[in-house]
Amino acid sequence: MENIRRSLFGYHKKEVEDLVKKLEQENKLLKQELTGKSEAIEQLNAQLYKYRSQEELISESIIDAKQLSKQLVEEAKQQATEMIDAANKTISDEFERFNQTMDTLNEMKNKVVAQKAELSKELQELLLRYKNAFETSETEDFTRIKEHLEEEIAQSEKVFESSKQVIYIPDVIQSHH
């Protein structure tokens, strides 16, 4: 405290009044400063609340983004699995069609080979008969042999033509579109 001089009956009134005024002014200034600090605290609290709200929103957004990315990954895995399954099914179907086509072709080949063997056997028998006939025949028989050969050739051509009709070659390359 300031030094207030004493008088005969106590303190000097003027000095006490001046001190009281001075203290009142200081009190007023401190109250104003306190009001300013309170307003600053309120503003800071408002900003803090705003930042906490933003932090909550950001946190929720991050959680939502994580859940969405997890869901997207699961959906992508599911789609990839479905695509792989579909591709495997298509490949399996194509192999099955290929095997069926190969079976059909092998059956046709076996028929052709059997017909070729039969035709070859018939031709060899025919040639053997003509060879035997030629060796035992006289020259005058050649005209008769020629006619007989022409008949046999005509008959062989008929057999050959009919065998071409027996060998039916289906369209094995089918459009799968």
Side-chain angles (χ1 to χ4, degrees):
M1 268 196 122
E2 295 198 15
N3 292 333
I4 301 177
R5 293 180 285 149
R6 289 185 175 224
S7 64
L8 182 62
F9 297 104
Y11 292 103
H12 288 275
K13 187 177 180 181
K14 171 83 173 129
E15 288 179 7
V16 170
E17 287 175 1
D18 287 344
L19 180 61
V20 168
K21 275 186 187 178
K22 182 178 175 186
L23 289 174
E24 285 177 353
Q25 285 178 346
E26 280 182 27
N27 189 25
K28 187 178 176 183
L29 286 175
L30 287 174
K31 282 184 181 179
Q32 287 176 350
E33 187 177 329
L34 180 62
T35 302
K37 299 277 185 195
S38 293
E39 289 174 2
I41 288 172
E42 285 180 28
Q43 289 176 351
L44 289 173
N45 279 334
Q47 284 182 342
L48 180 62
Y49 177 77
K50 177 181 166 187
Y51 290 140
R52 283 187 179 156
S53 297
Q54 288 177 350
E55 180 184 17
E56 285 180 30
L57 288 174
I58 290 170
S59 179
E60 289 173 7
S61 296
I62 289 172
I63 290 170
D64 289 346
K66 284 181 180 179
Q67 289 174 345
L68 179 61
S69 68
K70 185 177 179 181
Q71 180 182 352
L72 289 174
V73 166
E74 289 301 319
E75 288 175 7
K77 283 180 183 178
Q78 181 64 29
Q79 287 178 351
T81 300
E82 289 171 5
M83 290 171 70
I84 288 170
D85 290 346
N88 285 337
K89 173 87 171 94
T90 300
I91 289 169
S92 175
D93 291 349
E94 288 299 318
F95 272 120
E96 181 62 29
R97 278 194 284 279
F98 173 76
N99 286 333
Q100 289 173 355
T101 301
M102 288 305 295
D103 290 345
T104 303
L105 288 174
N106 281 329
E107 289 173 17
M108 290 170 42
K109 180 189 96 173
N110 291 338
K111 286 180 184 177
V112 168
V113 167
Q115 287 180 350
K116 177 187 172 254
E118 185 65 30
L119 288 173
S120 177
K121 180 180 172 188
E122 286 179 23
L123 186 56
Q124 285 176 357
E125 289 173 0
L126 180 65
L127 288 175
L128 185 60
R129 279 193 318 223
Y130 283 120
K131 179 181 173 199
N132 289 338
F134 181 74
E135 288 173 353
T136 59
S137 296
E138 299 278 332
T139 322
E140 62 265 8
D141 291 337
F142 283 125
T143 305
R144 189 175 51 79
I145 292 172
K146 176 184 173 205
E147 291 169 1
H148 187 65
L149 270 176
E150 288 173 352
E151 288 175 22
E152 289 289 335
I153 289 173
Q155 182 64 28
S156 294
E157 287 177 351
K158 285 180 187 175
V159 169
F160 180 72
E161 286 299 317
S162 67
S163 71
K164 284 193 341 190
Q165 293 173 359
V166 169
I167 301 173
Y168 168 69
I169 301 177
D171 182 15
V172 279
I173 302 174
Q174 300 172 356
S175 175
H176 301 293
H177 300 287

